Amino acid sequence: MIKFRSKRFSRSMSKLGYGGKASPPEKECRNISDIKWELRPGGMLVQKRDADQDAGDGVITIRVSTVSHWHDISIQPTSTFGELKMILSLVTSLEPREQRLLFRGKERDDEEHLHMVGVRDKDKVLLLQDPAIKEKKLLALVGGQAMAAPRPTITV
């Protein structure tokens, strides 16, 4: 078991100018024995988080940039990139399967969580259209126009 001890000042409080008028900084600080510790599954000993610290992380704002536009999206940090794609499909005309999201230069999978990858408040995510699907759309559009064009009927 690991035991933590607080360090004490080597000078007396009267020499530091605390002659009984104000409380010394040692008493104002949180005692190290008050810190709660937890053992993670990997064997790492870490300071236990307070519920109040997690409450501040309710919603983050992400700037999603396309080639010509940008959108500010508010989302939970524990959401996945797939959920972010669903929100972006409402804002843009791209379906989630047509979208490619890049964060820090890497394309992210739909199952990855934002907070696990390191997305924080006011970070930037790049939205690109999948080039294979874009090419299929163009081919279907060109092929559809050629077939839809009426041919004149020749009667003899």
Side-chain angles (χ1 to χ4, degrees), residues 9 18 21 35 37 41 47 54 70 80 85 91 112 145 147 154:
F9 293 114
Y18 292 108
K21 297 177 185 174
I35 297 175
W37 298 92
Q47 184 176 353
D54 294 337
W70 54 266
T80 62
K85 284 183 179 182
V91 177
E112 290 184 278
Q145 286 180 352
M147 294 182 74
I154 301 174

Side-chain angles (χ1 to χ4, degrees), residues 86-138:
M86 292 297 289
I87 293 171
L88 287 171
S89 68
L90 300 173
V91 177
T92 63
S93 62
L94 297 174
E95 293 181 25
R97 64 179 179 86
E98 298 174 3
Q99 300 174 12
R100 293 176 59 198
L101 293 176
L102 284 88
F103 179 68
R104 293 187 182 163
K106 293 182 182 179
E107 183 178 356
R108 301 300 176 172
D109 293 331
D110 291 347
E111 296 81 28
E112 290 184 278
H113 291 271
L114 298 172
H115 71 287
M116 296 298 286
V117 174
V119 178
R120 304 239 186 270
D121 193 30
K122 299 178 185 170
D123 277 351
K124 184 177 177 182
V125 176
L126 186 63
L127 171 65
L128 299 175
Q129 186 176 5
D130 191 7
I133 295 176
K134 186 176 182 179
E135 185 177 343
K136 285 181 184 178
K137 275 187 169 180
L138 289 174

Side-chain angles (χ1 to χ4, degrees), residues 65-95:
S65 298
T66 61
V67 176
S68 58
H69 297 97
W70 54 266
H71 307 282
D72 287 331
I73 305 293
S74 296
I75 193 168
Q76 297 282 333
T78 56
S79 300
T80 62
F81 279 93
E83 294 169 355
L84 179 59
K85 284 183 179 182
M86 292 297 289
I87 293 171
L88 287 171
S89 68
L90 300 173
V91 177
T92 63
S93 62
L94 297 174
E95 293 181 25

